[in-house]
Amino acid sequence: INKYLDTITTNDLHYIFIRNNVNIDLPIDSFAKVLKEFRSFSNSLRQRFFKNTNQNKRSPDLAIFLTNDSINWYSYSILIANDYAKIIKTGNKELFRRTEIERRMLLKHSDSYLISEFYKRLWFFVITGEFETKLQTKDSTNLQLLGFTGFALKYINARQVKGKLKQVVVSQLLNSILEHYTYGSPKEIMYYDSIIATVKPMLTDGAFLKEFEQQYSNCKKIIISHKIGKRAPDFKLVDTAGIRYYLKDFEGKVLLIDVWASWCGPCVKEFPYLKALEDQLKPYKQFQLLSISTDDTREKWVKNGLLKLGPPGFSLWVGYDKEFITDYNISLIPVLLLLDKNGKFIEFDLPKASEGDKLFELIKRSLQDL
């Protein structure tokens, strides 16, 4: 197996075969012949290394490997052929052999198919192609508003994709979102966050989720790092009397913003530590702790939040205008933000108040720099 893998990988045999046999000037229908020839070629490669079929049948591990390898490279050939087909200007908006792909391959739910990396990509490729095809129709306005990720979820539900196959497709969807995440506008990022929150509960693969969470966190840090040293967006938040407050109202002070909600258990757990931090920093008149609630309604903020929980700092509510959440890229709470006296971001990835003196020392240094 190692010799076989080394040979096909080092020499890039599969790609070279496709490259040498696919002519981009040919019509789409000609690819049927190429795929048939590719399958024979791929099988012949395996035959060179694994000649004794009776012995293969007696070795379950080898039999599984050969099956997976066959599926993998057949899936690869379809993907490559379709990539070429998209380039050819034939006027045919339909993806090459999509009906056959769905009939022959996408309905295979066996574990063998789901192990193949190229098969996983093939599923996602078909959904992408379906989306692009429908965008070419006259009635594409609603589809544009829905976006690809929304369309993909509808596609999965409409086809009643279930079990391990659904896990594969949904994980591909999440990976696709991360590819575009750091390049998105604030509104796009909010949309991605909402899709991620919707999709994650569909998954049961703990290993994938752990890796995804790490990548997702890294994307957040990249976005955040681009904002340090830049002026924070202005906001218009209200107090209990309905008086509006703007960012400029707090200029001249180092501002620690705590974003929370009354239903958020981890937010509430931080309150005693934030209160202790506020007491420590009382000698510094140029420090202000700002407590901003994202509760849905004013009643929830006052009744469930202020009266029951007593958050530390000066309390404000985002109100019914959710621009603050979008502008400040708030997707998970609690969130701590630190701004300097000019309203510029100092730091995002702040330690929690409950993590000892780390936050206190950071704020103290910022105050001493005034």
Side-chain angles (χ1 to χ4, degrees):
I1 288 175
N2 286 336
K3 285 181 180 178
Y4 164 75
L5 292 174
D6 184 57
T7 300
I8 64 171
T9 304
T10 303
N11 299 300
D12 215 357
L13 295 178
H14 294 93
Y15 173 74
I16 290 172
F17 180 92
I18 291 289
R19 186 190 65 192
N20 292 340
N21 287 275
V22 173
N23 185 338
I24 63 172
D25 295 324
L26 295 176
I28 288 178
D29 292 342
S30 68
F31 286 113
K33 183 182 177 184
V34 174
L35 291 186
K36 187 175 180 180
E37 292 174 351
F38 181 91
R39 198 165 194 178
S40 297
F41 165 74
S42 187
N43 287 335
S44 70
L45 283 176
R46 282 182 289 277
Q47 281 296 112
R48 271 192 240 166
F49 291 84
F50 313 105
K51 296 176 182 178
N52 191 334
T53 54
N54 290 329
Q55 183 179 344
N56 295 345
K57 289 177 182 176
R58 289 198 299 270
S59 174
D61 290 341
L62 181 56
I64 290 170
F65 168 79
L66 293 173
T67 302
N68 292 341
D69 191 70
S70 176
I71 292 166
N72 205 46
W73 292 115
Y74 185 55
S75 303
Y76 170 83
S77 67
I78 293 176
L79 281 168
I80 295 296
N82 275 278
D83 284 343
Y84 275 106
K86 288 166 106 175
I87 297 171
I88 300 172
K89 297 178 180 178
T90 61
N92 184 354
K93 299 296 182 183
E94 287 294 314
L95 276 176
F96 167 58
R97 289 161 63 90
R98 182 194 298 145
T99 304
E100 184 172 343
I101 293 171
E102 291 182 342
R103 179 171 58 83
R104 281 186 155 191
M105 300 195 70
L106 299 188
L107 298 180
K108 298 282 187 180
H109 290 222
S110 71
D111 289 353
S112 295
Y113 273 76
L114 297 178
I115 289 171
S116 163
E117 286 303 316
F118 286 122
Y119 176 70
K120 295 175 186 178
R121 294 185 206 174
L122 184 59
W123 245 109
F124 205 66
F125 174 81
V126 170
I127 298 176
T128 306
E130 186 85 23
F131 178 72
E132 291 174 352
T133 300
K134 290 186 180 300
L135 280 178
Q136 304 298 325
T137 62
K138 293 180 180 178
D139 187 26
S140 62
T141 305
N142 291 336
L143 194 62
Q144 289 172 343
L145 293 173
L146 185 63
F148 171 70
T149 44
F151 172 82
L153 287 175
K154 286 189 69 175
Y155 183 97
I156 292 167
N157 292 328
R159 298 301 178 93
Q160 295 185 325
V161 180
K162 298 177 181 177
K164 289 185 178 179
L165 185 59
K166 186 173 184 178
Q167 298 285 306
V168 166
V169 179
V170 169
S171 63
Q172 291 275 44
L173 178 60
L174 286 176
N175 284 332
S176 173
I177 290 173
L178 287 192
E179 287 178 9
H180 303 92
Y181 194 88
T182 54
Y183 303 102
S185 66
K187 286 189 177 180
E188 286 173 329
I189 289 169
M190 286 293 294
Y191 173 70
Y192 292 149
D193 286 335
S194 67
I195 291 292
I196 289 171
T198 302
V199 169
K200 272 173 50 182
M202 298 180 185
L203 292 172
T204 57
D205 185 343
F208 171 82
L209 283 171
K210 184 177 180 180
E211 183 179 349
F212 174 79
E213 284 293 352
Q214 183 59 54
Q215 293 174 340
Y216 186 30
S217 175
N218 291 340
C219 286
K220 286 283 185 189
K221 289 178 182 178
I222 290 171
I223 292 172
I224 284 167
S225 67
H226 293 164
K227 295 182 179 178
I228 292 176
K230 295 181 180 178
R231 183 175 172 79
D234 200 4
F235 55 66
K236 44 184 178 182
L237 309 172
V238 295
D239 67 4
T240 52
I243 299 172
R244 291 184 182 274
Y245 285 82
Y246 301 86
L247 180 59
K248 63 183 179 182
D249 294 326
F250 301 95
E251 283 186 359
K253 294 192 175 187
V254 171
L255 192 64
L256 178 66
I257 300 176
D258 175 38
V259 186
W260 64 283
S262 62
W263 48 263
C264 171
C267 300
V268 177
K269 284 182 180 179
E270 288 295 304
F271 284 175
Y273 300 100
L274 286 168
K275 175 61 177 170
L277 175 69
E278 187 180 30
D279 290 341
Q280 276 183 291
L281 292 166
K282 268 186 179 177
Y284 297 90
K285 302 302 181 184
Q286 289 177 301
F287 170 75
Q288 176 67 62
L289 172 60
L290 191 60
S291 171
I292 299 177
S293 166
T294 62
D295 278 303
D296 292 337
T297 65
R298 183 182 181 282
E299 183 182 10
K300 288 179 181 178
W301 169 49
V302 174
K303 188 176 178 181
N304 299 337
L306 298 183
L307 297 179
K308 284 186 179 180
L309 305 173
F314 184 63
S315 291
L316 294 174
W317 176 50
V318 295
Y320 297 106
D321 185 351
K322 303 298 183 183
E323 284 185 6
F324 172 81
I325 296 174
T326 303
D327 291 344
Y328 281 74
N329 191 31
I330 306 298
S331 57
L332 300 171
I333 54 175
V335 172
L336 289 174
L337 307 171
L338 189 60
L339 277 59
D340 68 13
K341 65 174 184 177
N342 298 312
K344 293 180 179 179
F345 290 116
I346 296 175
E347 188 58 78
F348 284 84
D349 194 16
L350 295 169
K352 294 179 181 178
S354 56
E355 295 178 0
D357 293 330
K358 295 178 183 178
L359 184 58
F360 171 74
E361 293 298 333
L362 177 61
I363 296 171
K364 188 178 176 181
R365 285 199 302 271
S366 300
L367 288 163
Q368 288 172 343
D369 290 339
L370 292 178

